[in-house]
Amino acid sequence: MSSLPDRPRFTFLGHSTVRCDLAGGEVLLIDPWVAGNPACPDGVKELERLDAMLITHGHDDHMADAVELAKRHRPKSVVATYEICAWLSDQGVENCQGMNLGGSQQVLDLRVTQVPALHTSSINDGNRMIYGGVASGFVVRLASGYSFYHAGDTALFSDMKLIADLHTPDLAFLPIGDLFTMDPAQAAMACGFLRVPEVIPIHWGTFPALSGTPEELRRELQAREVDCRVVDLSPGSTY
Ligand code: NI
Ligand code: MN
């Protein structure tokens, strides 16, 4: 296990939504889907503060609450692809910091890099579906050097090896549910490509169709002799 200097406290809000409490007290939310998220326990739905949001792509199960949370908490940064930020700005969201794949920027005290995901992206705008740019993931590096990767929704792709070469993440949040993303077998290969010591499975169990489980991921890692620990966070629990 790598040494873990000053890492955030991660609370899994269910599905793909991750709350990160930083050492300075700031709250970063990745993929804001809270109010209507059937996997999110009531006890963790209320945020007492929100300093920044990262949005991996435009699908409702990743940003349905972005506008409302931004208006209520007025975070310093709302980060997503250029197209999603343009749409959010149109909805009255302030402090949008649009970016695109390969780029990095400062968000609070963090260095945030947007990385590819193999998925689609569109925005549900009333009864229209509008173009959302490309889907993405994020690598977040703390001032302490600790870094983590949130893959968003993605298929397996071998350029995850580049994410390892460039960023050496200490932890990965990877989708395992199947149907819309990787299944546990692909996620196990992803852990090998990423060379991460720890993985937190996401995007599973919210609906019956998302059938992959952390236990299957564990088995697949063992079968492939990938040395990576599965941190099985149930929604509402903190790591
Ligand atoms: Ni999606
Ligand atoms: Mn999704």
Side-chain angles (χ1 to χ4, degrees):
M1 211 164 122
S2 66
S3 63
L4 301 172
D6 186 22
R7 69 175 185 190
R9 207 148 45 86
F10 297 107
T11 304
F12 182 41
L13 301 191
H15 200 62
S16 253
T17 308
V18 178
R19 169 182 170 150
C20 312
D21 284 77
L22 306 174
E26 301 95 340
V27 174
L28 168 77
L29 193 62
I30 306 175
D31 280 358
W33 188 38
V34 182
N37 181 345
C40 185
D42 285 338
V44 292
K45 282 188 175 174
E46 208 50 54
L47 304 174
E48 61 286 0
R49 66 185 283 183
L50 178 59
D51 299 277
M53 279 194 285
L54 309 182
I55 299 165
T56 60
H57 64 294
H59 292 155
D60 267 346
D61 58 321
H62 298 260
M63 64 168 241
D65 294 327
V67 173
E68 210 221 299
L69 288 173
K71 288 185 176 171
R72 189 172 346 143
H73 296 283
R74 305 172 70 90
K76 288 192 199 80
S77 304
V78 177
V79 176
T81 49
Y82 173 80
E83 288 80 1
I84 288 172
C85 278
W87 184 83
L88 289 172
S89 297
D90 276 349
Q91 311 304 308
V93 173
E94 293 170 359
N95 304 326
C96 287
Q97 293 178 220
M99 63 189 307
N100 219 318
L101 302 181
S104 301
Q105 63 176 322
Q106 205 66 24
V107 176
L108 307 175
D109 205 16
L110 311 165
R111 190 77 180 155
V112 171
T113 304
Q114 193 168 30
V115 298
L118 210 49
H119 192 66
T120 61
S121 180
S122 58
I123 302 166
N124 184 2
D125 183 279
N127 55 2
R128 290 183 311 157
M129 187 182 276
I130 63 176
Y131 177 62
V134 295
S136 72
F138 290 105
V139 176
V140 178
R141 184 172 296 279
L142 277 67
S144 65
Y146 181 87
S147 70
F148 66 94
Y149 166 50
H150 187 297
D153 282 354
T154 189
L156 179 66
F157 57 97
S158 60
D159 281 357
M160 286 178 178
K161 292 173 185 169
L162 292 178
I163 294 175
D165 290 348
L166 288 165
H167 304 288
T168 55
D170 294 289
L171 169 75
F173 292 89
L174 298 182
I176 64 163
D178 203 350
L179 189 60
F180 298 108
T181 70
M182 298 190 282
D183 64 6
Q186 294 172 58
M189 288 182 72
C191 292
F193 288 167
L194 291 162
R195 306 192 298 271
V196 280
E198 295 181 312
V199 60
I200 296 181
I202 58 174
H203 217 273
W204 67 277
T206 319
F207 312 107
L210 305 186
S211 59
T213 65
E215 203 36 59
E216 281 175 79
L217 175 59
R218 246 180 224 125
R219 276 202 304 273
E220 295 290 349
L221 285 164
Q222 254 166 25
R224 288 173 171 72
E225 298 181 346
V226 176
D227 185 16
C228 178
R229 192 168 81 90
V230 177
V231 180
D232 179 7
L233 279 191
S234 55
S237 58
T238 295
Y239 180 54

